[in-house]
Amino acid sequence: MPTAPQDRDRLLLAQYATAWSHSRGRLREEPPPTYRSEFQRDRDRIIHSKAFRRLEYKTQVFVNHEGDLFRTRLTHTLEVAQIARTMARALALNEDLVEAIALAHDLGHTPFGHAGQDALNECMRDFGGFEHNLQSLRVVDELEQRYAEFDGLNLTFETREGILKRCSRRQARTLGELGQRFLEGTQPSLEAQLTNVADEVAYNSHDVDDGLRAGFIDVAQLREIPFTGALFDEVDRNYAELPPRRRIYEVVRRMIGIQVADLVESSAARLAAAAPQSPVEVRDAAQSLIRFSDDMLASHTALKRFLFHHLYRHYRVYRMAEKSKGVVRALFQAFFDDPALMPPQESARARSLESAAGENGRARVVADYVAGMTDRYAIAEYQRLRDPLHLT
Ligand code: MG
């Protein structure tokens, strides 16, 4: 006899975990899946979405064509899911839910990473702005079109809540139940809290690896930061003659392992002290219960600061970012000025949203179209639009 999802929940989850029995359900009710839990179904819908496949060709920090070994949005996403699942299982939280949130958390990212988002946000300044968290929600709520009975993926409230990591009060007012916690200052589920930190653990660690590979940061700099310095010391003590790349990998795996262990242990202690009896009580806590210890938080923040100054602001990352912004701006402007330059489905949407919501509607369709592009598609579109000899 296969085990029913609700029996698995009862056996495996802590009382404060988000069991399906506590879910607020889907926007549109659907018959329950047979063998999977509802959160597994969310995860599977995300994996089968178009936006998920596009993550492969979207920038994390390094633009896709800069090298095959750098993280892309997709491999970043998989690393977040891996880290989040480990921590969820250790804390008896809902592993299916954290996996769904992790796999969807970056679906709304533009081509060219944060530079793309900033450029699109500038273009949308007079039309309601652009923000990637909200865009991820738009992708799963509206833009994916693959089911006969509804637009979007019709995901559960809990997965959608986890995707919407941040939100302004102004936006929150437009989001109904989902926006409430930003207005009331309450917490999301533990699974959402955990995936949020898993994202940071993932990028802090893999950006060190990618930054070293690119030669934009070096080992000498990392030795000066107490957290990574101690890890290099430990690796060098144990393995005197390690080839450079293996030495780096040994440091990076320790970075992930130590942060994960700290997060699991300090969160377990906080949960034991607060003793929430249900996932509902978790939401009323004054702050997130899934947190690093104070020491680890300090190390984590110092590393973030280092990466900000030395990697994300490195002149070559900056140069690529500025060039990418030019591409995004040019695409937005061209399509906004003449929506008929977009493929028929998008230009028809632009016409219909424009008649419903004026220029804001037209701009939103253009932003959706540009945000959905992969890096290489955006570059190809840019070239097609500019080159008079390119006749398609
Ligand atoms: Mg991320």
Side-chain angles (χ1 to χ4, degrees):
M1 270 290 280
T3 321
Q6 56 274 30
D7 294 336
R8 277 203 302 272
D9 279 5
R10 203 162 24 77
L11 289 169
L12 298 175
L13 301 185
Q15 76 272 16
Y16 37 71
T18 308
W20 174 246
S21 53
H22 287 98
S23 173
R24 300 192 205 176
R26 299 176 189 278
L27 288 176
R28 285 180 58 126
E29 236 181 273
E30 293 184 61
T34 319
Y35 304 117
R36 296 174 295 173
S37 74
E38 295 280 0
F39 299 125
Q40 280 178 286
R41 172 144 82 177
D42 280 1
R43 175 204 58 200
D44 298 346
R45 287 183 178 182
I46 292 157
I47 288 179
H48 288 277
S49 71
K50 214 156 70 169
F52 185 76
R53 292 196 293 282
R54 286 179 174 146
L55 294 174
E56 185 173 2
Y57 297 105
K58 287 193 176 196
T59 291
Q60 179 64 25
V61 172
F62 295 89
V63 174
N64 196 260
H65 59 248
E66 291 180 294
D68 290 347
L69 289 176
F70 296 119
R71 268 66 174 186
T72 65
R73 276 281 158 210
L74 181 63
T75 60
H76 160 70
T77 292
L78 296 175
E79 291 185 28
V80 175
Q82 177 269 312
I83 291 167
R85 286 178 50 198
T86 300
M87 299 194 296
R89 195 181 294 185
L91 290 166
L93 297 178
N94 197 322
E95 204 175 322
D96 296 334
L97 176 55
V98 299
E99 191 179 15
I101 297 171
L103 294 180
H105 87 283
D106 273 351
L107 289 180
H109 262 290
T110 59
F112 314 121
H114 282 277
Q117 158 172 290
D118 292 347
L120 203 50
N121 189 29
E122 276 165 37
C123 298
M124 288 293 286
R125 202 175 30 218
D126 298 331
F127 311 109
F130 178 91
E131 201 277 323
H132 73 87
N133 276 295
L134 268 179
Q135 190 67 14
S136 298
L137 195 66
R138 268 178 79 67
V139 168
V140 300
D141 281 356
E142 292 177 47
L143 299 178
E144 283 291 325
Q145 305 211 330
R146 45 190 308 116
Y147 299 99
E149 306 217 344
F150 43 79
D151 283 347
L153 305 178
N154 196 32
L155 301 181
T156 61
F157 174 87
E158 290 72 22
T159 300
R160 296 170 61 238
E161 167 190 66
I163 291 173
L164 194 64
K165 216 160 36 180
R166 272 181 282 278
C167 180
S168 68
R169 290 179 70 83
R170 184 179 59 83
Q171 286 291 357
R173 281 189 209 97
T174 68
L175 292 171
E177 205 186 3
L178 205 63
Q180 245 172 332
R181 75 177 165 98
F182 299 101
L183 301 171
E184 292 169 355
T186 53
Q187 307 302 323
S189 70
L190 294 172
E191 286 80 0
Q193 298 177 23
L194 181 148
T195 314
N196 192 1
V197 193
D199 187 17
E200 299 196 4
V201 172
Y203 69 67
N204 249 347
S205 313
H206 66 49
D207 287 352
V208 164
D209 185 28
D210 281 354
L212 288 168
R213 182 184 307 282
F216 294 176
I217 55 175
D218 61 41
V219 170
Q221 289 172 308
L222 289 165
R223 295 204 77 122
E224 281 170 26
I225 303 170
F227 177 48
T228 41
L231 297 180
F232 274 103
D233 288 345
E234 187 192 315
V235 171
D236 292 347
R237 246 192 336 267
N238 288 307
Y239 310 100
E241 298 294 321
L242 218 50
R245 276 258 39 116
R246 280 206 198 194
R247 181 172 174 236
I248 292 165
Y249 286 142
E250 282 291 341
V251 167
V252 172
R253 67 182 284 218
R254 281 170 173 74
M255 288 175 68
I256 299 173
I258 289 173
Q259 290 181 86
V260 165
D262 181 272
L263 197 86
V264 167
E265 279 157 32
S266 58
S267 303
R270 279 196 188 90
L271 285 163
Q277 294 307 303
S278 74
V280 180
E281 282 184 28
V282 160
R283 293 170 181 275
D284 295 328
Q287 52 179 327
S288 171
L289 291 166
I290 306 289
R291 294 199 326 271
F292 288 122
S293 65
D294 292 344
D295 282 355
M296 183 53 74
L297 183 64
S299 303
H300 180 88
T301 311
L303 186 60
K304 244 171 142 167
R305 208 172 306 126
F306 168 80
L307 287 170
F308 179 78
H309 289 295
H310 297 279
L311 180 60
Y312 312 140
R313 282 184 157 184
H314 188 280
Y315 85 99
R316 283 180 52 198
V317 173
Y318 175 74
R319 188 149 75 184
M320 194 49 99
E322 287 306 301
K323 285 202 283 189
S324 313
K325 284 182 182 177
V327 172
V328 168
R329 276 189 219 111
L331 289 175
F332 180 89
Q333 209 51 56
F335 296 133
F336 182 73
D337 291 346
D338 185 358
L341 291 174
M342 292 188 288
Q345 206 186 333
E346 276 72 23
S347 55
R349 260 192 85 223
R351 275 196 303 279
S352 106
L353 258 79
E354 181 157 15
S355 60
E359 277 199 330
N360 278 13
R362 190 206 317 173
R364 186 58 59 190
V365 174
V366 174
D368 287 340
Y369 180 51
V370 175
M373 292 179 186
T374 60
D375 296 358
R376 58 186 194 168
Y377 186 82
I379 292 168
E381 277 286 77
Y382 178 79
Q383 285 165 341
R384 280 194 285 266
L385 285 169
R386 300 200 138 210
D387 180 356
L389 299 179
H390 203 305
L391 296 179
T392 58

